Amino acid sequence: MEHVSNGVSLVELKKRSLIPQTWEAQVRAIGMSEYKEAALSLAQAFATDELAQYLLDADDMVGYNDEAKWRLHVDIFNYIVAAHCYRGIVTTIGPDYEGVALWMPPGKEMDDWVTVIRSGMWRLYYQLSAEGRRRYYQELLPVLHDAKLETMGDRDNDCYYLVYLGTKPSGQRRGYARKLIEQMAAKADAEGRAMYLESSSDKNTAYYQKFGFEIKRDVYLGADSKSPVRLTIMVREPQKLPHSIPIKLNGSFKMM
C-alpha cells in the first residue's frame, strides 16, 4: 500500500499501466504470438462488410446460426492473419490492437502449401458449405488474382499489396488507419514502389483517395445474385519526396 498525504487526492495520482505507452501512437509489426488478437480485431472491423457476408450467406448455409457464422468469420481471419505473419507483414496500433493492417510485400505470396498448412487455411475448405467453397475458391480468389495481374502488369510482384485494413469500433476516429497507411507508404515511396488494394465500400474508397490511391476499375462477385458485391481496384503510385526531408523507417519493419 502506498502512503498518500492528506493533501493529495487519489484521483490526482496517475497510475502506471503495464500496457506499453508506445502502442497508443506508434505502428508496430507483430508475429505469430499475437495473431489471434489481431484477427479478432479485424473480424470485428469487418463484421458488417458486404464481402465477408457474401462468403457466409450462401443459400446452403441457412442451417448455420448467427453464432456459427461468427465463429467461422473469426476463423477465416485467424487463418489469413497467420498466413501474413509467416509470409507478409502484419502491423497494428492501439493498446488493444484497435487498428490492424495486412500487407503482402514485393516478391512475397501466401498461397504455397507450406503456408496454407502452417496457417491453418487448409481447414477452411472443410468448414465452408459447397456454395461457400465455390464462392471463395472458384470466384473470389481467381477474381482477385486476375484483377491485380491485369492492373499491375509487370509490377504485379513488385508492389505493396494492402490486403486488409481495419479499425474495430472501439478504436475508430483516433487516426489509427491513417498511421497504418502512412507508415507503409513511407517505405514504399522510399523504395519507389506502388501500392495496391481492393476497396469494398464507397466510404473506404473516398478515404483511400486522401492518401493518393487512384481508382482503376471495378470488379464484381455474385454478378448473377440479387446483391452483387463490388470491389474497387485502387493503386497508389510512389510519391517523390523532397530531398531535404529524410525518411526514417521503423526498425520493426523486416521482410519475413
Side-chain angles (χ1 to χ4, degrees), residues 87-154:
R87 297 292 292 169
I89 300 173
V90 181
T91 56
T92 187
I93 187 172
D96 193 28
Y97 307 86
E98 279 82 0
V100 177
L102 306 185
W103 304 90
M104 194 52 60
K108 296 289 186 177
E109 295 180 351
M110 65 174 190
D111 56 358
D112 61 284
W113 277 108
V114 174
T115 303
V116 170
I117 293 173
R118 294 177 73 192
S119 66
M121 183 66 76
W122 62 271
R123 298 187 180 94
L124 184 58
Y125 182 87
Y126 302 97
Q127 291 176 277
L128 292 170
S129 66
E131 174 60 16
R133 286 194 294 270
R134 187 200 68 79
R135 292 183 178 187
Y136 188 83
Y137 293 101
Q138 299 178 30
E139 186 180 11
L140 174 62
L141 294 185
V143 166
L144 296 184
H145 174 273
D146 293 347
K148 184 168 179 282
L149 179 59
E150 292 170 5
T151 301
M152 299 306 296
D154 58 5

Side-chain angles (χ1 to χ4, degrees), residues 2 8 11 19 22 53 60 62 82 97 133 167 189 216 249:
E2 293 185 11
V8 180
V11 177
I19 300 175
T22 57
Q53 294 180 0
D60 60 353
V62 293
Y97 307 86
R133 286 194 294 270
T167 304
D189 289 343
K216 296 301 180 181
L249 301 180

Side-chain angles (χ1 to χ4, degrees), residues 231-242:
L231 298 176
T232 299
I233 307 302
M234 306 186 75
V235 175
R236 178 187 183 274
E237 297 296 341
Q239 308 293 309
K240 294 183 179 180
L241 301 175

Side-chain angles (χ1 to χ4, degrees), residues 54-102:
Y54 174 71
L55 297 176
L56 300 179
D57 284 344
D59 292 339
D60 60 353
M61 294 187 72
V62 293
Y64 290 60
N65 59 30
D66 291 342
E67 289 78 9
K69 287 187 176 182
W70 171 251
R71 289 193 296 270
L72 181 51
H73 178 65
V74 174
D75 281 346
I76 291 174
F77 277 103
N78 275 330
Y79 306 149
I80 294 176
V81 173
H84 281 79
C85 285
Y86 285 125
R87 297 292 292 169
I89 300 173
V90 181
T91 56
T92 187
I93 187 172
D96 193 28
Y97 307 86
E98 279 82 0
V100 177
L102 306 185

Side-chain angles (χ1 to χ4, degrees), residues 27-59:
V27 174
R28 62 192 183 93
I30 63 173
M32 283 298 294
S33 63
E34 301 172 90
Y35 86 96
K36 287 189 176 181
E37 292 86 348
L40 182 57
S41 179
L42 282 178
Q44 293 172 348
F46 285 87
T48 61
D49 182 67
E50 291 184 0
L51 175 57
Q53 294 180 0
Y54 174 71
L55 297 176
L56 300 179
D57 284 344
D59 292 339

